């Protein structure tokens, strides 16, 4: 299986990347980026709200991989959307990362009353060449439909929580039909399915870990995954998902595990808002 996909911007994106959410310890994200690069990862996903862009930037500069071989994603946070400082937020992210451009810039959450105007600012950033592709995160079908009413620019990516316990098939089918690449954050459900009986049985059948089974399930559906880890051994293990195939009957069994379980939560500033 090819381990990259082409976005609707004709740019290639790896199916596997490193997530660095909550990697805020001293040099934690930096060391994780270096370990990931050594393990063959070429996609690094961060965000301004993670408070580790500087650390990630050091990892990028020290990892030994040429910049043009890396795919770097960051995101604009809700606060910047509310005050309308999208350009400033983006410039600060670039400065912290010590980069001239990012490969993908995302709207982190669809803040009501803000995300449509935020998207227009992202269009300008893309036109400037400082973000090669732009996309969204945590958008549902209704948000994407609202976006389509005001813009002809289709998001390159919609980053959502997705794993065998959380399989929003209708949203995924919608995105794939519209040419929007789905990317799964928290694809390991923050450990919630690693001791699941079905995952363990399938792990034994294929000679893999439950984590590898869960990640393979996603990429086999064409969904990009960005598992978070700061442990070099787990980062390495999570990368071994392109040299085996899960049989269709087992894919169907994994699909049936869906219980709309979310290991992540809606940010506090959106919990009282109907979005």
């Amino acid at each position: 299986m090819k381990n990259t996909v082409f976005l609707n911007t004709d740019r290639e994106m790896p199916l596997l990347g490193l997530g660095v959410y909550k990697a805020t310890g001293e040099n934690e994200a930096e060391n994780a980026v270096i370990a990931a690069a050594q393990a063959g990862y070429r996609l690094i996903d961060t965000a301004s709200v993670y408070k580790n862009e500087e650390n990630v930037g050091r990892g990028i500069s020290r990892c030994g991989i040429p910049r043009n071989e890396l795919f770097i994603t960051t995101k604009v946070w809700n606060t910047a959307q509310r005050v309308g400082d999208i350009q400033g937020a983006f410039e600060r992210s670039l400065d912290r990362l010590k980069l001239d451009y990012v490969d993908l810039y995302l709207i982190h959450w669809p803040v009501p009353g803000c995300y449509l105007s935020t998207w227009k600012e992202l269009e300008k950033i893309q036109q400037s060449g400082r973000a090669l592709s732009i996309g969204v995160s945590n958008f549902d079908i209704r948000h994407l439909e609202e976006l389509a009413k005001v813009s002809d620019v289709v998001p390159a990516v919609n980053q959502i929580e997705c794993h065998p316990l959380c399989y929003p098939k209708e949203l995924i089918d919608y995105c794939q039909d519209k040419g929007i690449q789905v990317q799964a954050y928290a694809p390991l459900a923050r450990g919630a399915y690693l001791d699941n009986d079905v995952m363990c049985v399938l792990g034994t059948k294929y000679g893999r870990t439950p984590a590898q089974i869960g990640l393979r399930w996603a990429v086999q559906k064409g969904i990009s995954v960005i598992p978070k880890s700061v442990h070099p051994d787990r980062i390495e293990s999570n990368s071994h998902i392109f040299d085996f195939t899960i049989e269709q009957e087992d894919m169907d069994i994994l699909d049936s595990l869906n219980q709309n379980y979310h290991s992540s939560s809606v940010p506090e500033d959106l919990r009282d808002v109907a979005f």
Side-chain angles (χ1 to χ4, degrees), residues 217 221 246-257:
W217 167 83
K221 291 178 177 292
I246 299 174
E247 296 171 6
Q248 187 56 51
E249 62 181 5
D250 293 330
M251 290 290 286
D252 294 340
I253 291 170
L254 289 167
D255 289 357
S256 73
L257 295 179

Side-chain angles (χ1 to χ4, degrees), residues 4 32 41 55 58 81 99 149 223 225 233 262:
T4 61
Y41 290 64
N55 220 273
R58 287 198 298 272
Q81 291 194 64
L99 296 177
K149 292 177 183 176
I223 297 169
V225 292
D233 56 336
H262 286 267

Side-chain angles (χ1 to χ4, degrees), residues 113-130:
C114 300
Y115 68 89
L116 297 179
S117 58
T118 297
W119 183 250
K120 288 298 186 181
E121 293 302 313
L122 261 63
E123 288 182 22
K124 295 175 186 175
I125 290 170
Q126 183 181 23
Q127 290 164 1
S128 76
R130 295 171 298 157

Side-chain angles (χ1 to χ4, degrees), residues 13-270:
M13 182 177 80
L15 274 170
L16 172 70
L18 177 75
V20 295
Y21 175 61
K22 289 190 174 178
T24 54
E26 186 177 2
N27 300 327
E28 198 171 41
E30 178 182 353
N31 292 334
V33 169
I34 293 169
Q38 292 172 344
Y41 290 64
R42 294 297 179 264
L43 189 162
I44 308 297
D45 178 275
T46 186
S48 61
V49 77
Y50 298 169
K51 306 299 183 188
N52 59 15
E53 287 174 313
E54 290 180 347
N55 220 273
V56 168
R58 287 198 298 272
I60 291 168
S61 68
R62 290 188 53 220
C63 74
I65 306 300
R67 170 67 184 96
N68 63 359
E69 294 180 21
L70 294 171
F71 191 104
I72 309 300
T73 301
T74 193
K75 313 175 191 80
V76 61
W77 185 242
N78 305 347
T79 310
Q81 291 194 64
R82 289 195 177 94
V83 299
D85 187 27
I86 311 306
Q87 299 289 337
F90 179 72
E91 289 292 348
R92 289 189 291 275
S93 283
L94 278 188
D95 186 58
R96 288 189 290 262
L97 288 162
K98 295 291 186 285
L99 296 177
D100 296 324
Y101 70 95
V102 293
D103 298 87
L104 180 63
Y105 196 48
L106 302 179
I107 299 178
H108 209 146
W109 285 87
V111 177
C114 300
Y115 68 89
L116 297 179
S117 58
T118 297
W119 183 250
K120 288 298 186 181
E121 293 302 313
L122 261 63
E123 288 182 22
K124 295 175 186 175
I125 290 170
Q126 183 181 23
Q127 290 164 1
S128 76
R130 295 171 298 157
L132 303 186
S133 300
I134 55 175
V136 297
S137 181
N138 299 297
F139 275 47
D140 209 343
I141 291 172
R142 66 186 184 279
H143 303 120
L144 295 169
E145 288 182 336
E146 287 299 312
L147 209 58
K149 292 177 183 176
V150 301
S151 175
D152 292 329
V153 179
V154 179
V157 169
N158 186 14
Q159 192 181 104
I160 59 174
E161 179 164 358
C162 180
H163 45 74
L165 302 183
C166 179
Y167 178 34
K169 188 175 186 304
E170 184 182 5
L171 174 58
I172 292 167
D173 289 347
Y174 177 90
C175 287
Q176 292 179 337
D177 181 61
K178 299 293 184 182
I180 302 169
Q181 175 64 42
V182 177
Q183 187 171 62
Y185 70 77
L188 301 178
R190 313 229 161 110
Y193 66 70
L194 299 186
D195 57 358
N196 178 283
D197 289 345
V198 172
M199 302 299 291
C200 292
V201 168
L202 290 178
T204 299
K205 175 178 178 177
Y206 291 95
R208 301 287 167 154
T209 66
Q212 290 167 337
I213 294 295
L215 295 173
R216 176 65 202 185
W217 167 83
V219 299
Q220 206 163 302
K221 291 178 177 292
I223 297 169
S224 173
V225 292
I226 46 171
K228 181 259 177 171
S229 181
V230 296
H231 304 285
D233 56 336
R234 293 181 193 167
I235 290 171
E236 167 74 24
S237 177
N238 289 341
S239 72
H240 298 296
I241 56 174
F242 296 106
D243 58 350
F244 74 105
T245 301
I246 299 174
E247 296 171 6
Q248 187 56 51
E249 62 181 5
D250 293 330
M251 290 290 286
D252 294 340
I253 291 170
L254 289 167
D255 289 357
S256 73
L257 295 179
N258 176 45
Q259 51 190 250
N260 297 317
Y261 169 79
H262 286 267
S263 63
S264 59
S265 58
V266 175
E268 285 186 19
D269 64 341
L270 287 178

